[in-house]
Amino acid sequence: MQDRHTGAIGVGVVGLGRAFMLMLADLENDPRFNLVAACDTRSSARESFSSQYAAPTYSTVKALADDPYVEVVYIASPHQLHKDHAIAALAAGKHVLIEKPIAIDLASSRAIIDAAVGSKGNVIVGPSHSFDPQIEACLQIIKSGKYGSLRMIRTNYYTDFMYRPRRPEELRTEEGGGVVFSQAAHQVDVVRLLAGGQTAQVYAHTGAWDRKRPSEGAYTALLKFENGISANLFYSGFAHYDTDEEFQWMSELGIKKDPAQYGAARRLLQTIDDKTEQRLKNLRAFGPDINSQSPAGNEHFGGLVLTFDQADIRVTPQALYIYEDEQIRTEPVLPAIAGRRGVLNALWALVKDGVSPVQDGRWGHATLEVCRGILTSGKSGDVQIMCEQVPVPGYPDVK
Amino acid sequence: MQDRHTGAIGVGVVGLGRAFMLMLADLENDPRFNLVAACDTRSSARESFSSQYAAPTYSTVKALADDPYVEVVYIASPHQLHKDHAIAALAAGKHVLIEKPIAIDLASSRAIIDAAVGSKGNVIVGPSHSFDPQIEACLQIIKSGKYGSLRMIRTNYYTDFMYRPRRPEELRTEEGGGVVFSQAAHQVDVVRLLAGGQTAQVYAHTGAWDRKRPSEGAYTALLKFENGISANLFYSGFAHYDTDEEFQWMSELGIKKDPAQYGAARRLLQTIDDKTEQRLKNLRAFGPDINSQSPAGNEHFGGLVLTFDQADIRVTPQALYIYEDEQIRTEPVLPAIAGRRGVLNALWALVKDGVSPVQDGRWGHATLEVCRGILTSGKSGDVQIMCEQVPVPGYPDVK
């Protein structure tokens, strides 16, 4: 067993699945963090973890949270388990980093918030793409007031999300499946951060058009904020077009895509049965056959344009293109390969300095309220009024 | 005076302003049409017209419509005058081509429809960009069913519309000013044509942020159609970003833009007073100092992506990019420099064969209902239910 007491923050992982895989490289490469324990239902994943990190694995979250070397419990289990896992970790007085969405129903996210109130631990919900450095750069510009008030946000993403290998519950809305819980959670987080956080109204259309993949695979929504800012959201996880094309084939995860792989996800699905799909999904999780690619650029979440009084900003993972009154300025996004550094910085600040980021439990709850508003509005055709929103500290008044 | 009886269709023009200017080259170059009469309040415009076309001008629309050589009355007067002008032309039994929007209130468009019922003349509302050849090509693909059902449409346009020289009423909503009447009329026409015509619900945000240009200069709207198709519309006429950049700087009118002219509209406005703005607006109208540029490609109305079950289509003025299951196909848009040929073909078919295009009076009325729905929803925050919509003939069922 390694020396688990290194001065770095000890992270205990709950759920060695796909989400953890996407954090793994950054956690490993960041000397501020140590992987000191894990919990998973798959014995192969537990064994791989143990041998790779010389660290114990536990069969319950409570046992993991009681490990004195665990300072942060990273909850990367399926959405519908977040509540129980977060409450167990908070009961042990540990900080928790919860993968988005915080939960799939508002009662669960409220329960997590309540558990944090009575705990020494705090909650961060992330990493969503609201932690990407280009979003932080935009927020700084908004706060500077340099271009007057922000008025409108337009964001869109075309992906093959619905045709990647999935567990059955990932295609059942009531269990947290479909793109609204998984993907709108990103888009709403980004948009709320840029617009000041306090969504007033949500109106949306949702689409579940593929009977073989029966959950909502696409949505489009208009969000109106208390300060009057308007946001236009579009997501299709049924898409053939791939927005990454607009970013020199840089993927959501900052990994270069090979355009020759066009259509691969659909092609693969047509040749396999449900059991093989499960196996492929597991291959994307942590285990003995890890196969991770290094990022070549920043993560992102599709097209994003901000409309200010005195400028428009077109946001890409590589640069901000700022269309001013007199000229177009290009600002490179730095760092250029940030990975998940944003959320890890936030986690460090929370544990070491007691400073919480915007994206805490209440924030995640408010984002979930908007996501659920998208689903409800899509079904009912009505405008949904939001009641549990929280502001971005220091956000300027819209004039 | 020229021989006005040439076998070509005699066109009498009401309003020698900016709209007429945009039709002029195509009317002149099309041997099927003859400019045989005009009516305008500006004597300089009347004199130029008379001397250039050896054709009479009239002081009233009634007198123009009574000219036996006038077979079609082309109503290119300000929006709020369309009703009286169309009714006068229809009373004389003449066909009318009315610039979009058909009117600015539904009582007026209803009055035009009623006048057509009792007349030998019929109504075409156009040219909107729904007559552009790339839109016709998309409609043929939709009707073919080749890619299954159309599900979602996303369209957007960033322009400096609000900063071009304007007459005062073009900046007063109640008189038909702002981008909803002038520009949504295009976007809604395009989207309705592609989605089957029958809008069920409209929800929108509108923005009027510049006190010096006080009408709505931006909007974003979600349209739900009776057949379930969803459309996402975005327009900013306050923009610094210019969507034409995405189309190799091909403008809405198919004219190549010089990127070095970036910001020119705003710069100009800052140096001139209201009176000079009027004069500049008039310079864009018909008169002795005509200064027209030849198109280099097709007209368009900004970004447009169609999401089908089995493909996405990204529409540009140059080509359709069709993202199929297995490959990306490129279909050139033909003709490549169509100008306003679409609406002129429709006018010819109406006059010679009695065949009306989709874009008749009832269609224009239905588009106006949606535009007014955008304004009302933007003000009230409520979903607007549409009641006066008409279908696209031959549009396939959505499965």
Side-chain angles (χ1 to χ4, degrees):
Chain A
M1 185 157 296
Q2 70 173 17
D3 176 11
R4 295 163 70 212
H5 189 62
T6 58
I9 294 171
V11 176
V13 184
V14 180
L16 299 169
R18 177 72 184 154
F20 169 63
M21 278 296 288
L22 299 180
M23 278 288 279
L24 180 53
D26 288 299
L27 276 169
E28 277 188 336
N29 295 333
D30 193 325
R32 298 175 297 176
F33 299 92
N34 246 355
L35 288 167
V36 295
C39 180
D40 195 278
T41 53
R42 291 172 305 126
S43 61
S44 64
R46 287 197 305 271
E47 283 157 25
S48 295
F49 187 93
S50 264
S51 72
Q52 196 154 340
Y53 302 104
T57 62
Y58 295 97
S59 57
T60 69
V61 178
K62 183 180 182 324
L64 176 134
D66 284 339
D67 182 325
Y69 291 106
V70 169
E71 292 171 85
V72 169
V73 179
Y74 169 34
I75 298 175
S77 49
H79 312 330
Q80 65 276 28
L81 305 177
H82 287 181
K83 180 185 75 169
D84 290 346
H85 293 169
I87 289 174
L90 290 164
K94 302 296 167 75
H95 295 300
V96 292
L97 171 63
I98 311 180
E99 279 283 336
K100 55 83 218 165
I102 184 171
I104 60 175
D105 62 277
L106 293 170
S108 294
S109 47
R110 250 182 241 118
I112 293 171
I113 294 169
D114 290 345
V117 170
S119 164
K120 280 193 298 180
N122 276 303
V123 175
I124 297 179
V125 181
S128 81
H129 287 289
S130 67
F131 286 97
D132 293 345
Q134 59 271 40
I135 305 305
E136 175 61 23
C138 289
L139 184 58
Q140 291 314 317
I141 291 172
I142 293 165
K143 286 184 172 175
S144 78
K146 183 171 178 184
Y147 299 116
S149 292
L150 177 65
R151 301 296 182 175
M152 296 176 105
I153 302 172
R154 193 169 63 90
T155 182
N156 70 88
Y157 209 178
Y158 290 82
T159 76
D160 59 7
F161 182 92
M162 292 298 282
Y163 297 104
R164 299 173 197 159
R166 296 288 167 208
R167 294 187 308 272
E169 75 263 29
E170 290 183 288
L171 300 171
R172 288 194 292 261
T173 310
E174 61 283 8
E175 294 177 52
V179 298
V180 176
F181 290 116
S182 282
Q183 303 292 279
H186 284 297
Q187 225 174 26
V188 170
D189 244 27
V190 166
V191 158
R192 286 188 57 233
L193 189 67
L194 296 176
Q198 296 186 282
T199 324
Q201 285 199 346
V202 174
Y203 176 79
H205 302 162
T206 54
W209 304 308
D210 187 337
R211 276 171 220 157
K212 291 186 193 158
R213 319 284 282 179
S215 188
E216 289 78 11
Y219 63 85
T220 181
L222 297 187
L223 273 49
K224 177 71 110 180
F225 288 83
E226 299 285 359
N227 56 14
I229 294 175
S230 162
N232 177 319
L233 286 67
F234 181 101
Y235 190 96
S236 172
F238 291 131
H240 295 76
Y241 177 61
D242 182 341
T243 308
D244 295 342
E245 179 185 315
E246 298 172 32
F247 305 127
Q248 299 151 45
W249 292 105
M250 194 63 76
S251 81
E252 179 190 344
L253 304 173
I255 292 169
K256 272 275 185 186
K257 277 184 175 173
D258 175 5
Q261 292 297 309
Y262 182 84
R266 276 186 170 82
R267 259 197 307 282
L268 176 67
L269 266 196
Q270 281 177 347
T271 63
I272 60 174
D273 59 14
D274 291 356
K275 217 164 150 183
T276 313
E277 184 173 348
Q278 295 311 295
R279 201 169 51 75
L280 289 172
K281 171 79 194 188
N282 282 340
L283 277 182
R284 288 154 49 92
F286 183 82
D289 308 310
I290 302 179
N291 181 7
S292 76
Q293 269 181 283
S294 292
N298 276 320
E299 301 202 354
H300 69 84
F301 205 70
L304 176 62
V305 181
L306 311 184
T307 295
F308 293 79
D309 289 325
Q310 284 135 42
D312 297 297
I313 303 184
R314 194 161 58 81
V315 182
T316 78
Q318 292 90 8
L320 308 186
Y321 296 91
I322 307 179
Y323 296 77
E324 301 179 341
D325 278 348
E326 292 291 338
Q327 61 175 346
I328 307 169
R329 275 200 316 116
T330 305
E331 267 189 21
V333 175
L334 295 173
I337 310 176
R340 267 86 199 274
R341 208 179 298 175
V343 75
L344 292 178
N345 291 346
L347 196 55
W348 177 265
L350 175 63
V351 177
K352 295 297 183 186
D353 306 321
V355 177
S356 180
V358 181
Q359 297 96 334
D360 64 4
R362 285 175 203 279
W363 176 271
H365 175 72
T367 290
L368 177 62
E369 187 192 22
V370 174
C371 292
R372 295 203 60 93
I374 289 173
L375 282 174
T376 309
S377 178
K379 277 228 162 66
S380 70
D382 296 327
V383 177
Q384 301 298 303
I385 308 296
M386 299 292 101
C387 310
E388 321 219 3
Q389 299 294 295
V390 289
V392 175
Y395 196 87
D397 287 344
V398 172
K399 275 153 204 155
Chain B
M1 186 158 294
Q2 71 174 11
D3 178 10
R4 294 162 72 212
H5 190 61
T6 57
I9 293 171
V11 176
V13 184
V14 179
L16 298 170
R18 177 73 184 152
F20 169 63
M21 278 296 288
L22 299 179
M23 278 288 279
L24 180 54
D26 288 300
L27 275 168
E28 276 188 335
N29 295 332
D30 193 325
R32 297 175 298 177
F33 299 93
N34 247 353
L35 289 168
V36 295
C39 180
D40 195 278
T41 52
R42 291 173 305 127
S43 61
S44 64
R46 288 197 304 271
E47 283 157 25
S48 296
F49 187 91
S50 265
S51 72
Q52 195 153 343
Y53 301 105
T57 61
Y58 294 97
S59 58
T60 68
V61 179
K62 184 179 181 324
L64 175 135
D66 283 338
D67 182 326
Y69 291 107
V70 170
E71 292 171 84
V72 170
V73 179
Y74 169 33
I75 297 175
S77 50
H79 310 332
Q80 64 275 29
L81 304 177
H82 286 181
K83 179 186 78 168
D84 289 345
H85 294 169
I87 289 174
L90 290 163
K94 301 297 166 72
H95 295 301
V96 292
L97 171 63
I98 311 180
E99 279 284 336
K100 56 83 214 163
I102 185 171
I104 59 175
D105 63 279
L106 293 169
S108 294
S109 48
R110 252 182 239 116
I112 294 172
I113 294 169
D114 291 345
V117 170
S119 163
K120 281 194 296 180
N122 276 303
V123 175
I124 297 179
V125 181
S128 81
H129 287 288
S130 68
F131 286 97
D132 292 345
Q134 59 270 41
I135 305 304
E136 175 62 23
C138 289
L139 184 58
Q140 291 314 316
I141 291 172
I142 294 164
K143 286 184 172 175
S144 78
K146 183 170 179 185
Y147 299 115
S149 292
L150 178 65
R151 302 296 183 177
M152 294 175 107
I153 302 172
R154 193 169 63 89
T155 182
N156 70 87
Y157 209 178
Y158 290 82
T159 76
D160 59 8
F161 182 92
M162 293 298 281
Y163 296 104
R164 299 173 197 160
R166 296 288 167 209
R167 294 189 308 273
E169 75 263 30
E170 290 182 287
L171 300 172
R172 289 194 291 261
T173 310
E174 62 282 8
E175 293 176 52
V179 299
V180 176
F181 289 117
S182 282
Q183 303 292 280
H186 284 298
Q187 225 175 25
V188 170
D189 242 28
V190 166
V191 158
R192 286 188 57 234
L193 189 67
L194 296 175
Q198 295 185 284
T199 323
Q201 284 198 348
V202 174
Y203 176 79
H205 302 162
T206 54
W209 304 308
D210 187 338
R211 275 171 220 156
K212 291 187 191 156
R213 320 284 282 177
S215 188
E216 289 79 10
Y219 63 86
T220 181
L222 296 187
L223 274 49
K224 178 71 109 177
F225 288 84
E226 298 285 358
N227 55 15
I229 293 174
S230 162
N232 177 319
L233 286 67
F234 181 100
Y235 190 97
S236 172
F238 292 130
H240 296 75
Y241 177 61
D242 182 342
T243 309
D244 295 342
E245 179 186 315
E246 298 172 31
F247 305 127
Q248 300 149 43
W249 293 105
M250 193 65 75
S251 80
E252 178 189 343
L253 304 173
I255 292 168
K256 272 276 185 186
K257 277 184 176 172
D258 176 5
Q261 292 298 309
Y262 181 84
R266 276 185 170 84
R267 257 196 309 279
L268 177 66
L269 265 195
Q270 281 177 347
T271 63
I272 60 175
D273 59 13
D274 290 356
K275 216 163 152 183
T276 313
E277 185 174 347
Q278 297 309 298
R279 202 169 50 75
L280 289 172
K281 170 77 192 188
N282 282 341
L283 277 183
R284 287 153 51 91
F286 184 81
D289 306 311
I290 304 180
N291 179 10
S292 77
Q293 267 181 286
S294 292
N298 277 319
E299 300 200 356
H300 68 85
F301 204 72
L304 176 62
V305 181
L306 311 183
T307 295
F308 293 80
D309 289 325
Q310 286 136 43
D312 297 298
I313 303 184
R314 195 161 56 80
V315 182
T316 78
Q318 293 90 7
L320 308 186
Y321 296 90
I322 308 179
Y323 297 76
E324 300 180 342
D325 279 346
E326 293 291 339
Q327 61 175 345
I328 307 169
R329 275 200 314 116
T330 305
E331 268 188 20
V333 175
L334 297 172
I337 310 176
R340 267 84 200 274
R341 208 181 298 177
V343 75
L344 293 178
N345 290 346
L347 196 55
W348 177 264
L350 175 64
V351 177
K352 295 298 184 184
D353 305 321
V355 177
S356 180
V358 181
Q359 295 95 334
D360 64 5
R362 286 176 202 281
W363 177 270
H365 175 71
T367 289
L368 177 62
E369 188 192 21
V370 174
C371 291
R372 294 203 60 94
I374 289 173
L375 282 174
T376 308
S377 178
K379 277 229 161 67
S380 70
D382 296 327
V383 177
Q384 301 299 306
I385 308 296
M386 300 290 102
C387 310
E388 320 220 3
Q389 299 293 296
V390 290
V392 174
Y395 196 88
D397 287 343
V398 172
K399 275 154 203 151

